[in-house]
Amino acid sequence: MYTYVVRVVRAEEWALVKDLRLLALRDPVAPLAFLETYEAAAVRPDSFWQERAAGAAEGAAGVRQFVAETEDGQWAGTVTLLLEEAGTVDWAGFPVERRQGHIVGVYVRDEWRGGGMTRALLDAAVDWAWELGVERVRLIVHEKNARAQGAYRKAGFIPSGRTVPLGQATGETETETEYEFVLERPEASDR
């Protein structure tokens, strides 16, 4: 197996950002893992992907996308961290009570799963969040996405008790739910 490095995307790599996102949206668990569909993402213009890459590249304010790049140049995984400021409202309509990081878009190619890449990507995002001085990092995970929940727990995230209802699932009478998992900033003495 190849080795890899985790690094921040560069603005000019927008086509690679697009390709990896489209691959992620084709994953069998994509409907549980992402709010966006492949069909919606595939028709977005290049300008969308250019802005997305530039907005999450080194030096961008409030967002950072990390990729795991193999020694042969393949992008094998990704994660994005969004900065959420206290006093704002998040995507689900909940008030943001304190400055925090929000991890989204976690994806690792099948052939790289189980070897620690997800943890390395999460660690890079969390390290950046701590550099920004946030108090905690959170993510939202679907109740049926057990694989992702296991990976997040291994990285130190724990359920906060907050749930996000997703509305009526197709053909089901019950509402599907997502769970918030959090990682609190360690005390200075713990580092």
Side-chain angles (χ1 to χ4, degrees):
M1 182 152 298
Y2 292 107
T3 58
Y4 61 90
V5 295
V6 175
R7 66 171 180 82
V8 178
V9 300
R10 293 184 287 272
E12 65 272 13
E13 296 175 317
W14 65 269
L16 292 169
V17 169
K18 175 183 177 180
D19 290 347
L20 191 59
R21 179 63 174 183
L22 292 177
L23 181 64
L25 292 171
R26 287 188 195 115
D27 190 276
V29 298
L32 299 180
F34 306 113
L35 297 176
E36 181 179 38
T37 65
Y38 172 83
E39 294 76 19
V43 298
R44 294 188 186 275
D46 287 349
S47 60
F48 170 85
W49 299 103
Q50 291 163 353
E51 290 171 20
R52 184 174 185 153
E58 188 76 44
V63 181
R64 189 71 41 97
Q65 182 177 358
F66 298 87
V67 293
E69 183 176 27
T70 64
E71 61 188 21
D72 65 354
Q74 179 188 67
W75 283 13
T78 186
V79 64
T80 299
L81 185 122
L82 311 170
L83 181 62
E84 296 178 324
E85 296 291 348
T88 61
V89 177
D90 73 8
W91 65 273
F94 291 110
V96 176
E97 297 169 358
R98 54 189 171 154
R99 192 168 197 244
Q100 61 192 12
H102 186 158
I103 289 179
V104 298
V106 179
Y107 174 72
V108 172
R109 291 175 181 261
D110 278 341
E111 64 270 26
W112 285 91
R113 292 180 184 157
M117 183 177 286
T118 301
R119 176 68 184 262
L121 287 161
L122 291 170
D123 285 350
V126 167
D127 287 347
W128 184 63
W130 297 158
E131 288 174 22
L132 296 174
V134 303
E135 296 180 36
R136 72 179 194 154
V137 175
R138 71 180 187 138
L139 52 84
I140 309 294
V141 60
H142 195 281
E143 65 185 337
K144 295 179 183 175
N145 197 344
R147 182 182 75 203
Q149 288 182 40
Y152 300 146
R153 286 178 194 272
K154 283 181 185 177
F157 288 82
I158 59 171
S160 70
R162 177 176 275 178
T163 60
V164 179
L166 292 178
Q168 297 297 321
T170 305
E172 296 181 23
T173 57
E174 294 183 28
T175 301
E176 291 188 353
T177 301
E178 291 196 321
Y179 303 128
E180 178 186 66
F181 278 49
V182 299
L183 180 65
E184 297 291 334
R185 182 182 183 90
E187 297 297 323
S189 62
D190 294 342
R191 289 188 223 150

